[in-house]
Amino acid sequence: MRVGIAQIDADSLCDDLDANLEVLSSITAEAAERRIDLLVTPELMLTQYEPRLAARQAWRGSELRSKAANIAAAHQVGLVFSTPELDSQAVKPFITVTLCDRRGVRLLHHRKRVLFGDAERLRFGGGEESGLANFDGFMVGLALCYEVEFPEVIRSLAMRGADLVCIPTALTASMPGQVSEQVTEVLVPARSVENQLFIAYSNYARPKFSGHSMVSGPLGVRTGAGHHAEIFYDDVTLAELKSSRALNTYLEDIP
């Protein structure tokens, strides 16, 4: 399967949600030209990653998800995209990520469980553990941004049979004393190795965010971006997972 990552410039997005959908359509069209099977995009791309603004736009979440699914179908590319979501049974909206297949059919939906900082916790509620879905023979799980920094989140998906975890993120550039570069240099590759699975991690470009989107696998980083906006891909196989899992038996040897 050819997994694509869109590392976009946050300044290409705006308050006009229809304009942001046009950006999504453009990068999905480019993915189709590159024969990408599944394209992963950054956290809250369709509203911009700004918790206050995204929470205010949560009432349009259902509309955004429907239009994003139509984009997937129009270009026949699987899509992973992130939106805010209202739920009449919940006090606060949620930050979510959705997986659609090439026909625009929603296969999987995840509400962010581990919220980052006061800005998110003030405006959003925490979700619950989500399931897996089959995409081209790969069992796919979803997570969002800060969640990858907790080993329990990815381990839970691995123990349920995940082969690939898609993670939209909005990781900012490092401030003194703050973990940021270590997330992409250490933690994301470690999650792939210790769980023997692929991770598709899609961030925004610098200067506002840290860049360094990547596809990592059972032996570490496979393909990654630098600081600038770009779309790239990696061809991943179940055969590679099978071979590595036979030698690196972490999941079998859990005490």
Side-chain angles (χ1 to χ4, degrees):
M1 178 168 65
R2 180 162 290 183
V3 179
I5 304 289
Q7 179 167 288
I8 68 170
D9 184 347
D11 287 338
S12 69
L13 307 175
C14 64
D15 293 346
D16 182 344
L17 303 192
D18 290 324
N20 296 340
L21 284 162
E22 286 298 320
V23 174
L24 178 64
S25 182
S26 176
I27 62 177
T28 306
E30 183 173 344
E33 292 176 359
R34 299 188 185 192
R35 299 184 180 179
I36 287 170
D37 298 302
L38 180 62
L39 180 68
V40 186
T41 59
E43 185 177 20
L44 290 175
M45 175 189 158
L46 293 177
T47 60
Q48 305 176 78
Y49 180 80
E50 201 294 306
R52 179 178 53 83
L53 175 63
R56 287 208 312 263
Q57 298 286 9
W59 66 276
R60 293 191 64 183
S62 179
E63 171 197 350
L64 291 172
R65 288 186 290 278
S66 177
K67 290 182 175 180
N70 290 341
I71 289 170
H75 298 289
Q76 297 185 15
V77 174
L79 272 182
V80 174
F81 56 88
S82 174
T83 59
E85 178 182 28
L86 281 181
D87 184 332
S88 60
Q89 304 301 312
V91 175
K92 296 179 180 180
F94 300 93
I95 299 173
T96 75
V97 52
T98 303
L99 165 66
C100 284
D101 69 12
R102 296 177 185 83
R103 299 171 297 162
V105 175
R106 188 170 87 169
L107 301 180
L108 194 60
H109 188 67
H110 169 64
R111 291 171 168 174
K112 191 173 186 178
R113 297 168 60 201
V114 188
L115 299 170
F116 179 75
D118 292 341
E120 286 189 6
R121 288 190 286 267
L122 177 65
R123 296 172 175 86
F124 294 98
E128 299 178 352
E129 192 169 58
S130 59
L132 303 176
N134 189 311
F135 187 99
D136 283 8
F138 286 76
M139 295 307 296
V140 179
L142 300 173
L144 277 159
C145 196
Y146 194 38
E147 293 179 320
V148 76
E149 299 175 44
F150 295 82
E152 301 85 355
V153 174
I154 309 304
R155 175 55 54 87
S156 176
L157 292 169
M159 292 299 292
R160 284 180 281 142
D163 300 310
L164 166 67
V165 180
C166 298
I167 308 177
T169 190
L171 183 68
T172 56
S174 288
M175 297 174 62
Q178 181 185 29
V179 171
S180 183
E181 299 298 328
Q182 292 86 348
V183 173
T184 50
E185 292 176 3
V186 179
L187 296 185
V188 176
R191 297 293 169 262
S192 288
V193 172
E194 68 194 7
N195 292 297
Q196 290 294 289
L197 47 68
F198 296 109
I199 290 178
Y201 183 84
S202 175
N203 195 18
Y204 295 97
R206 286 198 175 182
K208 294 181 180 179
F209 296 87
S210 66
H212 292 300
S213 301
M214 72 177 71
V215 177
S216 59
L219 299 180
V221 178
R222 296 168 52 88
T223 309
H227 298 155
H228 304 294
E230 63 175 296
I231 297 174
F232 63 96
Y233 64 80
D234 195 5
D235 295 318
V236 302
T237 68
L238 291 172
E240 179 182 347
L241 286 183
K242 182 178 180 180
S243 175
S244 184
R245 287 168 175 173
L247 295 172
N248 304 296
T249 56
Y250 291 116
L251 297 180
E252 295 178 17
D253 298 338
I254 296 171

